[in-house]
Amino acid sequence: MTTLAKKERIQKEFKEKMDYDELLNCMRCGFCLPSCPTYIESGNDEAHSPRGRIALMKAVVDGVIEPDNDVKRSLDLCLGCRACEPVCPSGVKYGHLLEQARDIIYQNKKQSLAEKTARGIVFNKLFPNQKQVINATSLLSFYQHSGLQKIARGIGFMKLFPESLQTMEKVLPSVPKRKELKNRPSNLPALQEKKKRVAFFSGCLMDTIFMATNDATMTLLQYAGCEIVVPHTQNCCGALHGHSGEREKAKEMAKRNIIAFEHTKADYIITNAGGCGAFLVDYGYLLKDDPEWSIRAGLFSDKIKDITSILYDLDFHHENLELEEQIVTYQDSCHLKNGQKTYEEPRKLIQSIRGVNYVEMKEASRCCGSAGIYNIVESEMSMKILDHKMKQTKQTKAKTVITANPGCLLQMKLGIEREGLSSTMRAVHIVDFLLEAYKTNH
């Protein structure tokens, strides 16, 4: 297919698949501009703002411009943090528009053999299959525990990689061994008077690289009075696919998750990763045009609840929580705040701990620059955004920076390492922090 034919096809699909009413909802008021990290870090480049990107999408639909590389670049540089949505007076669902546009472009984009192979492995082989995720993670575990990591660092092998990846390798958590990764619970009783029956969305990377945090999450739920069921037929939430132009694959994965959780008889489906939770909440929208699945997807999405939200609802903040005196701050997960609308609960839980001096970070809800794999594929912009975040973090003088999403956690660890603050500051997931506080007096 010629380049011209491909552009015509992309333009045709923009007209057919983009939500034109949603594009028209944008009033071009500019309220979104101060909330957009890429707009600010690009020197107020309108093409890298939500308003500018919507204008580009509409212009392609209207045939005013061609869907060229400049359009693609503008969309690629977007973090997808959705910080523009809460401040939009018209309530534009920018995240939905971004996913629609990326899907059209990437499904029609000519890919190099290397890119096609990489996307095929990641999107079709790895993340849709938890066994493959375990296999891949087991290699990382072997690297960490066999002595290879020490050798690689000693001979300077890591210097062959970009600086951000070198630092990321240093801050990765210690990954459990393969036997532990495969020996996961399916049912756990409440350890207090039973209040709720919940199903736990364990995720793919959360149940491997961050398995300790998943274990802490389930322990907290038990202490809060929850009986837990963990469906072993669940799979990756599909967020990476949905955000990267693989919507059909995301729909397949959504359907598998809906089937896995439908018969759990759970009051809620609990998540502990802001990015996953926001995508799970959107299953109703993702499958809205599928008559067979739209109602089932809506029922599934209605049950999604973040771990901080249910803990607060069950009065966990009234438990005897205590830690040594320390200054603590909180970095919002973009998708937990903007997608799941969960903002106050984590703060109230943190503030309920004796010994904690909570200091609100300036612009706490501004993206840290992680955004899934954004910090790998758009490293330069990601590091600019992280540098700004670390300035705000250091102003709090916090000993502990708390997050509610694995990507944010690694990004903040990366920032702490880059700033040379590892001896005086740590980043920790909120459930690990709360479990520390609970165990002090129990």
Side-chain angles (χ1 to χ4, degrees):
M1 188 182 293
T2 66
T3 301
L4 178 60
K6 281 188 177 181
K7 287 183 178 179
E8 289 176 347
R9 181 173 172 176
I10 291 174
Q11 195 154 39
K12 180 175 181 291
E13 291 196 17
F14 260 72
K15 289 181 179 179
E16 293 173 349
K17 297 180 179 181
M18 292 297 298
D19 187 336
Y20 198 71
D21 288 339
E22 199 66 64
L23 290 172
L24 289 176
N25 277 344
C26 178
M27 302 186 301
R28 314 291 189 265
C29 64
F31 281 16
C32 59
L33 301 183
S35 70
C36 179
T38 55
Y39 172 74
I40 295 168
E41 296 298 338
S42 65
N44 298 346
D45 186 340
E46 185 73 23
H48 297 316
S49 72
R51 178 175 70 177
R53 291 180 177 114
I54 290 174
L56 289 174
M57 295 177 207
K58 184 176 180 297
V60 172
V61 174
D62 293 340
V64 176
I65 63 172
E66 292 184 344
D68 57 17
N69 287 332
D70 289 339
V71 174
K72 179 180 176 299
R73 181 62 188 146
S74 174
L75 299 179
D76 282 346
L77 201 61
C78 180
L79 292 149
C81 67
R82 295 169 59 181
C84 50
E85 292 185 13
V87 299
C88 177
S90 298
V92 175
K93 303 296 183 185
Y94 173 81
H96 294 164
L97 293 173
L98 179 66
E99 287 180 9
Q100 291 166 11
R102 281 179 171 171
D103 184 55
I104 294 167
I105 288 174
Y106 274 91
Q107 292 306 311
N108 289 283
K109 175 182 175 287
K110 183 179 180 180
Q111 300 174 5
S112 66
L113 179 61
E115 183 180 5
K116 188 174 182 179
T117 301
R119 288 179 70 90
I121 292 172
V122 171
F123 294 125
N124 299 328
K125 302 294 184 183
L126 181 59
F127 283 101
N129 187 332
Q130 188 63 6
K131 289 181 180 179
Q132 295 299 333
V133 176
I134 290 174
N135 290 339
T137 310
S138 296
L139 294 176
L140 178 57
S141 177
F142 179 77
Y143 167 74
Q144 291 179 330
H145 300 295
S146 66
L148 278 177
Q149 185 176 52
K150 186 176 181 179
I151 293 172
R153 290 176 178 177
I155 65 176
F157 176 73
M158 291 308 300
K159 292 180 181 178
L160 297 174
F161 297 90
E163 182 184 350
S164 60
L165 287 182
Q166 292 179 42
T167 311
M168 186 67 75
E169 186 264 353
K170 293 180 182 178
V171 302
L172 283 172
S174 178
V175 179
K177 296 179 180 179
R178 183 182 182 84
K179 184 178 180 181
E180 297 174 86
L181 294 172
K182 297 184 75 173
N183 187 25
R184 305 299 290 141
S186 56
N187 292 90
L188 292 167
L191 294 178
Q192 305 287 351
E193 177 187 355
K194 180 183 170 182
K195 299 176 182 177
K196 297 290 179 182
R197 175 178 169 86
V198 301
F200 180 49
F201 185 82
S202 52
C204 46
L205 294 181
M206 284 304 301
D207 214 41
T208 49
I209 294 178
F210 298 95
M211 193 182 84
T213 298
N214 264 9
D215 289 343
T217 302
M218 289 184 281
T219 300
L220 286 178
L221 287 169
Q222 288 179 285
Y223 287 147
C226 292
E227 175 191 5
I228 309 167
V229 58
V230 188
H232 281 177
T233 54
Q234 63 178 292
N235 56 211
C236 171
C237 66
L240 183 61
H241 298 74
H243 300 328
S244 303
E246 299 284 344
R247 279 174 66 83
E248 290 307 312
K249 196 69 183 179
K251 290 178 182 179
E252 289 178 26
M253 298 168 77
K255 291 173 183 178
R256 277 188 249 157
N257 279 327
I258 292 167
I259 293 171
F261 283 86
E262 272 182 328
H263 303 296
T264 60
K265 297 180 180 179
D267 299 308
Y268 301 109
I269 299 169
I270 304 303
T271 70
N272 61 4
C276 296
F279 200 74
L280 295 172
V281 165
D282 251 2
Y283 275 8
Y285 174 80
L286 183 68
L287 297 170
K288 67 181 177 63
D289 296 324
D290 189 325
E292 181 184 351
W293 288 92
S294 60
I295 295 177
R296 296 166 71 180
L299 292 172
F300 174 93
S301 293
D302 288 345
K303 287 191 174 185
I304 300 298
K305 202 174 187 71
D306 184 69
I307 178 65
T308 59
S309 183
I310 191 169
L311 288 178
Y312 186 77
D313 287 351
L314 296 179
D315 292 328
F316 195 77
H317 52 296
H318 291 154
E319 293 284 351
N320 190 14
L321 306 176
E322 184 175 5
L323 285 171
E324 65 176 25
E325 289 192 13
Q326 58 188 290
I327 298 174
V328 172
T329 193
Y330 176 71
Q331 158 63 23
D332 281 290
S333 156
C334 296
H335 288 97
L336 182 59
K337 177 180 181 290
N338 303 323
Q340 291 181 263
K341 315 302 181 189
T342 301
Y343 177 82
E344 292 291 345
E345 294 92 326
R347 287 169 168 80
K348 289 178 178 177
L349 287 166
I350 295 167
Q351 290 168 357
S352 72
I353 302 171
R354 288 194 305 279
V356 164
N357 177 12
Y358 179 77
V359 177
E360 180 72 12
M361 184 192 304
K362 184 180 178 182
E363 298 180 311
S365 59
R366 178 170 165 175
C367 185
C368 63
S370 172
I373 59 172
Y374 187 94
N375 56 2
I376 298 173
V377 298
E378 297 290 349
S379 179
E380 182 180 356
M381 178 60 76
S382 175
M383 292 305 102
K384 287 182 180 179
I385 293 167
L386 178 58
D387 287 343
H388 179 85
K389 177 61 64 177
M390 289 310 300
K391 287 180 183 178
Q392 310 293 21
T393 303
K394 287 188 289 185
Q395 287 178 8
T396 68
K397 302 188 185 313
K399 173 186 175 182
T400 303
V401 182
I402 298 175
T403 74
N405 186 62
C408 302
L409 178 60
L410 285 181
Q411 186 80 340
M412 295 308 295
K413 283 178 176 287
L414 179 63
I416 291 169
E417 182 72 23
R418 277 164 52 92
E419 295 287 336
L421 298 172
S422 296
S423 63
T424 57
M425 183 184 290
R426 65 169 179 158
V428 61
H429 193 289
I430 189 168
V431 298
D432 296 309
F433 191 72
L434 289 172
L435 188 57
E436 282 182 37
Y438 184 87
K439 286 184 173 180
T440 298
N441 290 314
H442 293 82

